[in-house]
Amino acid sequence: MTNEKTNSVGRLGFGLDWQYRDSYPQKMPDLCARYAGRLSHLSCVSLPSAADARTFMDECAGDLPVVHHLPGVAPAAPGGPNLELFTRLEAVSDVLGAVWTCEDIGLWSIGPYPLPYFTPPLFEREVADHVVDGIRRMREVSRYPFVPEIPSCTLAAGRMSLGEFFHRVTDGADCDLLLDVAHVFSYAVAVRRSYEDVLRSLPLERVVEIHVAGGYIDPTFDNRYLDTHSHAVTPAVIDLLQEAVANAPRLRAVTYEIGVGLGAEELDSDFERIEGLLAEADWTPTIARPSGLATAGTA
Ligand SMILES: [Fe+2]
């Protein structure tokens, strides 16, 4: 039971995938219990139903604020967002009391056919405008703000840079931005640009959440970054995180996305490393449960 003061409030949240709830170094509820008091929030993807969301709240999140990471609503898909799925998932957001919803801007499948790997959109003005239109349509059917995420880039095609594309998307939709610093790094690696320059090119003033995760550059193909979530966080991504935290004035949450291949010690040491970096930057999260969902005893 916590009566400690502000420094007992966690600085960092976990990014979890419900499909793998039994496959992390510990089962999801045990993992969350182990880091209790050090977590600021949770983000969870692939919750299929309100019943699963209830289990997640009861067994994992408790009183923590929760971000609902959507699974493939895909406003960048050629046919626009899957509003049927999105509307159905509103019931999950309701149970979570989602602070916001989010999703990477890209493609996982073409119709019923899954792609071999997640693919970023073509970086073209028409595609950015199509994404803006999709986000507006999502807004019409949801009570929760949708925050687009910078995608992982195994390739970069189109006449716009990542920065130009996301300025156009966030200006057009007038929305916040989720900055995944490993994804920023993947783009820098794919286009062989300095990652600091890529970071500076993005609309950092719109960033409310940062994702950080482990991965590595393919040793046999050096312009591909493998965004595994199951390896240590690479030093360049730590640099990017530090730089992003210092330059994102509206940042409310930092989420460490973990994969099932991580060992308990690797997870622990990266969690501690990121926690330490945030403490050194004197940064504290401001993510909170929506007021209607304030927990018992909260004024
Ligand atoms: Fe992410």
Side-chain angles (χ1 to χ4, degrees):
M1 306 285 11
T2 62
N3 251 350
E4 299 121 297
K5 298 221 327 221
T6 42
N7 61 359
S8 72
V9 175
R11 290 183 197 266
L12 182 59
F14 272 138
L16 302 165
D17 187 330
W18 185 244
Q19 299 176 74
Y20 303 126
R21 58 193 176 281
D22 294 331
S23 314
Y24 292 113
Q26 287 173 282
K27 291 188 178 213
M28 202 184 269
D30 299 333
L31 187 68
C32 294
R34 176 159 180 220
Y35 286 85
R38 293 170 75 188
L39 291 169
S40 54
H41 68 287
L42 296 178
S43 170
C44 193
V45 68
S46 306
L47 282 161
S49 68
D52 287 277
R54 231 161 258 131
T55 307
F56 172 76
M57 291 308 288
D58 291 346
E59 296 183 358
C60 305
D63 291 340
L64 291 173
V66 178
V67 172
H68 184 191
H69 195 310
L70 301 169
V73 172
N82 182 340
L83 292 179
E84 188 275 322
L85 172 65
F86 187 48
T87 307
R88 193 152 31 90
L89 290 173
E90 193 82 348
V92 171
S93 296
D94 287 344
V95 174
L96 302 180
V99 188
W100 55 75
T101 64
C102 67
E103 192 177 290
D104 313 61
I105 297 301
L107 300 171
W108 291 261
S109 57
I110 304 292
Y113 302 104
L115 293 169
Y117 200 78
F118 172 80
T119 304
L122 275 180
F123 296 129
E124 292 283 341
R125 293 164 73 103
E126 290 76 7
V127 179
D129 294 344
H130 174 71
V131 172
V132 167
D133 183 59
I135 294 173
R136 288 198 184 126
R137 289 169 59 202
M138 289 167 70
R139 202 176 276 156
E140 280 165 20
V141 298
S142 178
R143 291 182 296 281
Y144 301 90
F146 172 73
V147 183
E149 174 174 353
I150 307 268
S152 183
C153 298
T154 49
L155 58 98
R159 285 166 290 185
M160 298 178 95
S161 68
L162 185 77
E164 289 166 336
F165 185 87
F166 273 93
H167 270 284
R168 191 166 178 97
V169 166
T170 55
D171 286 350
D174 192 17
C175 62
D176 294 331
L177 180 64
L178 200 167
L179 180 83
D180 186 313
V181 283
H183 294 177
V184 171
F185 184 59
S186 74
Y187 174 85
V189 167
V191 299
R192 300 189 191 282
R193 275 181 62 194
S194 113
Y195 58 80
E196 295 95 336
D197 286 352
V198 175
L199 182 72
R200 280 184 219 117
S201 75
L202 290 161
L204 297 180
E205 68 286 356
R206 291 194 182 264
V207 172
V208 291
E209 182 180 359
I210 288 178
H211 282 179
V212 56
Y216 62 96
I217 294 176
D218 188 328
T220 60
F221 189 65
D222 70 357
N223 75 333
R224 179 157 180 198
Y225 171 78
L226 297 159
D227 183 37
T228 66
H229 294 194
S230 286
H231 292 82
V233 180
T234 211
V237 171
I238 292 287
D239 279 359
L240 274 166
L241 174 63
Q242 201 158 18
E243 191 74 19
V245 168
N247 289 287
R250 296 178 53 240
L251 178 62
R252 296 177 60 192
V254 176
T255 306
Y256 173 35
E257 296 188 294
I258 59 170
V260 293
L262 274 180
E265 306 79 50
E266 282 171 304
L267 192 158
D268 223 24
S269 82
D270 268 345
F271 192 96
E272 210 172 298
R273 184 150 68 127
I274 299 164
E275 215 177 29
L277 179 156
L278 298 175
E280 217 166 283
D282 202 18
W283 179 85
T284 47
T286 54
I287 188 167
R289 287 164 71 86
S291 50
L293 291 155
T295 52
T298 311

